[in-house]
Amino acid sequence: MDKRTLVESDFTNGALLVEQLEQNDFPVHSALWLYDPDNERWRLIISSIKYDLAGPRKAYEHIDKVIRKIEQTDHEFDISLENITVKRTNDSFIKVLEKIQIAPNKKGTRFTRRALNNFYIEDAYIYRVGA
């Protein structure tokens, strides 16, 4: 699915996925939608200790399993692995995000047009950072 724009259901589905990952033995350290202006696409970025310990393949397999489980009961759920990037908890981008003072908010917080160290964030919707 093409993610050129995000709508309310994307924010809701992202929050649902994060919640379901947590409930299915996949601790989420950080989670956010991030807009990539070069490719004009939104990506759901997730960092987890599972990636750190088991590697990317196992992390993506685990996320895919949870997505399939959600799709069995929620036919409106519209996030696929093609929209997700999984990162280590010590990834340089994640470490920069940890410096942002954002209060935890289950629904998410918008973060736009900010430069942080060597990263420029055009637009982001942050569920949590460094949880």
Side-chain angles (χ1 to χ4, degrees):
M1 167 200 27
D2 189 355
K3 284 286 183 202
R4 291 183 187 271
T5 59
L6 289 185
V7 295
E8 187 63 33
S9 63
D10 295 311
F11 300 135
T12 303
N13 286 336
L16 174 61
L17 179 58
V18 170
E19 178 184 308
Q20 289 299 307
L21 287 168
E22 288 282 347
Q23 291 179 10
N24 286 275
D25 195 34
F26 193 92
V28 176
H29 173 272
S30 300
L32 65 142
W33 283 105
L34 180 67
Y35 183 70
D36 177 359
D38 293 334
N39 293 311
E40 299 180 339
R41 300 274 189 279
W42 284 89
R43 307 279 303 159
L44 183 57
I45 309 295
I46 298 172
S47 73
S48 173
I49 191 76
K50 283 282 190 177
Y51 182 105
D52 298 350
L53 299 174
R57 182 175 177 186
K58 292 287 186 190
Y60 281 103
E61 286 173 353
H62 198 124
I63 292 170
D64 188 48
K65 182 179 175 183
V66 171
I67 288 172
R68 290 174 193 267
K69 184 176 178 181
I70 295 169
E71 289 173 337
Q72 289 176 357
T73 57
D74 184 347
H75 301 292
E76 300 295 315
F77 187 81
D78 197 20
I79 298 175
S80 67
L81 276 182
E82 290 81 32
N83 306 122
I84 297 172
T85 299
V86 185
K87 293 183 175 283
R88 295 181 179 279
T89 57
N90 67 352
D91 178 86
S92 59
F93 178 68
I94 298 299
K95 287 300 188 189
V96 166
L97 287 177
E98 288 177 353
K99 296 177 183 177
I100 302 170
Q101 298 297 317
I102 295 179
N105 180 347
K106 196 172 188 179
K107 292 187 177 188
T109 302
R110 202 69 183 251
F111 191 81
T112 58
R113 297 188 180 113
R114 304 264 178 95
L116 300 168
N117 291 0
N118 294 328
F119 297 97
Y120 176 73
I121 298 174
E122 175 71 28
D123 201 358
Y125 190 82
I126 302 173
Y127 298 105
R128 69 171 74 162
V129 176

